[in-house]
Amino acid sequence: MVRLCMVFKNSLFLFMVVSLFMISCSKDGETNTANFQETPVDESAKLAAKELYNDYYLTSASNNNDMDWTGSEPSCDPGSIPQSVRDKILMRLMYFRKAVGLNNEIAENLTKSEKAQHAALMMYANNQLDHFPPENWKCYSVKGKDGAGNSLLAMSKNAEAIDTYIRDQGANNGPVGHRRWLLWPRLQEIGVGNTEASNALWVLGNPGNPPSDTPDFISWPPQGYVPNKLVYPRWSFSIKDADFTETQLSMKDSNGNPVTLSVEELDNAYGDRTIVWIPEGINNNSTKDELYQVTLENVKVDDESNDFEYSVILFDIDG
């Protein structure tokens, strides 16, 4: 079982002109909503989603040619990972960020990476995850403690650890805090720690300004076409400083039938304000495109009530 742990601190938007739409409006204004079932398919948008997947996701996959971690758990040597593996980790992160519409580059901070590497060693040596590791831990170090307190932690490795964070499975990860930090528009640099069985990504501190082309909201799965195997049980929708306490959330499938939802408890401790839900009966094994319409009513932003409506189209990347 893959394990992960989030930092407990407060702290390719593809706009489909033809195939989908998003509505954001004041409740005082009128909305003109189209019938999503009658919206024609935009093959160019689907092709763009495939190209993004091939160029970033597939290219960053681990393979037998990747060099191994140079450290040693018995001797408490944090070691290092080759630049090619670090590049793949950053590339996998960029896949998910570009998929939601965030096109700014994320830099690696080498000082943070050194401490994250010590943290990853500590997690591996003790076979557990803790943002506040005790001094009696095997391979304990001050650098590792600092790294653990500022990083996402997972018992997975390489670029695939990014998938673990975005998936955010487990009973303690209802707020999808790992996902929120990695898809935070203000994220501009990370530290990378990685062993043969653990990963630490330093994400806290030194936030930048959000990109000028930041979309109106960040969601996973994102608006538009998305490979069905990357659609995880928890769906999320984020807006900076939004108030979701009175939001009404609903979904429909491609036949217009309502989808039963289970909404997670709101938690504002990670990245931007986010509402998280688990829809039932999502078909992410189909060989044909599966469209789902998401509607959020009464999302308060700057004391104004807004509605949002967008479509997510699951497709078989191997089809």
Side-chain angles (χ1 to χ4, degrees):
M1 177 182 296
V2 174
R3 288 174 285 155
L4 71 168
C5 187
M6 70 182 70
V7 180
F8 292 100
K9 288 190 177 182
N10 202 6
S11 79
L12 170 70
F13 177 83
L14 294 175
F15 182 72
M16 314 304 181
V17 176
V18 179
S19 68
L20 49 94
F21 57 91
M22 183 274 289
I23 297 169
S24 173
C25 61
S26 169
K27 278 197 174 293
D28 294 332
E30 295 183 356
T31 63
N32 180 18
T33 61
N35 185 336
F36 72 96
Q37 296 181 71
E38 298 176 356
T39 304
V41 174
D42 185 347
E43 291 295 343
S44 63
K46 186 175 182 179
L47 178 60
K50 288 182 176 181
E51 289 179 346
L52 180 67
Y53 178 87
N54 291 331
D55 292 346
Y56 284 83
Y57 191 91
L58 279 187
T59 303
S60 62
S62 298
N63 57 56
N64 293 333
N65 294 323
D66 290 333
M67 296 180 64
D68 294 332
W69 170 55
T70 64
S72 169
E73 180 267 330
S75 61
C76 292
D77 177 8
S80 63
I81 54 173
Q83 190 61 49
S84 59
V85 173
R86 307 166 92 85
D87 290 343
K88 284 186 175 184
I89 291 173
L90 284 165
M91 184 180 293
R92 181 62 60 90
L93 172 58
M94 290 310 300
Y95 167 76
F96 284 103
R97 288 181 65 87
K98 284 181 176 292
V100 302
L102 297 171
N103 298 302
N104 59 312
E105 293 296 323
I106 302 298
E108 180 184 1
N109 182 306
L110 296 181
T111 299
K112 293 180 178 179
S113 287
E114 180 187 10
K115 294 181 178 181
Q117 187 63 39
H118 281 266
L121 169 66
M122 290 167 61
M123 305 306 133
Y124 177 38
N126 295 276
N127 193 30
Q128 58 181 303
L129 304 174
D130 195 331
H131 292 289
F132 308 99
E135 294 185 9
N136 63 354
W137 259 26
K138 183 178 181 181
C139 300
Y140 176 89
S141 68
V142 174
K143 288 183 178 179
K145 179 181 179 181
D146 195 16
N150 289 277
S151 299
L152 309 180
L153 305 172
M155 297 304 289
S156 57
K157 65 176 184 176
N158 299 356
E160 288 71 25
I162 300 296
D163 298 58
T164 300
Y165 295 130
I166 298 294
R167 182 181 295 109
D168 245 349
Q169 67 183 14
N172 294 326
N173 293 316
V176 295
H178 305 87
R179 180 189 301 176
R180 288 160 67 171
W181 283 125
L182 293 182
L183 300 184
W184 192 34
R186 297 184 63 191
L187 184 68
Q188 64 175 359
E189 65 178 29
I190 62 172
V192 179
N194 197 77
T195 71
E196 63 186 18
S198 62
N199 180 270
L201 285 186
W202 185 310
V203 294
L204 292 185
N206 197 29
N209 294 321
S212 59
D213 59 350
T214 298
D216 292 334
F217 61 84
I218 302 296
S219 65
W220 194 267
Q223 178 177 229
Y225 287 93
V226 58
N228 54 17
K229 67 180 182 180
L230 299 181
V231 175
Y232 306 121
R234 289 186 170 111
W235 292 40
S236 60
F237 179 97
S238 303
I239 298 178
K240 182 179 182 295
D241 297 331
D243 182 354
F244 295 104
T245 55
E246 297 181 6
T247 297
Q248 292 83 49
L249 175 65
S250 63
M251 284 180 61
K252 292 182 179 180
D253 63 19
S254 57
N255 296 315
N257 298 317
V259 176
T260 301
L261 309 176
S262 174
V263 181
E264 300 278 9
E265 183 178 355
L266 296 175
D267 190 327
N268 297 328
Y270 317 100
D272 286 337
R273 300 286 179 84
T274 300
I275 187 169
V276 183
W277 67 98
I278 301 175
E280 294 183 8
I282 298 300
N283 188 354
N284 58 357
N285 293 308
S286 177
T287 56
K288 68 175 184 177
D289 295 353
E290 297 288 344
L291 185 149
Y292 295 92
Q293 179 176 291
V294 180
T295 302
L296 298 98
E297 298 178 278
N298 198 18
V299 177
K300 291 186 179 179
V301 182
D302 296 329
D303 294 323
E304 182 177 338
S305 182
N306 297 266
D307 294 345
F308 294 86
E309 190 172 84
Y310 62 99
S311 296
V312 177
I313 307 170
L314 284 58
F315 72 95
D316 180 7
I317 194 68
D318 300 316

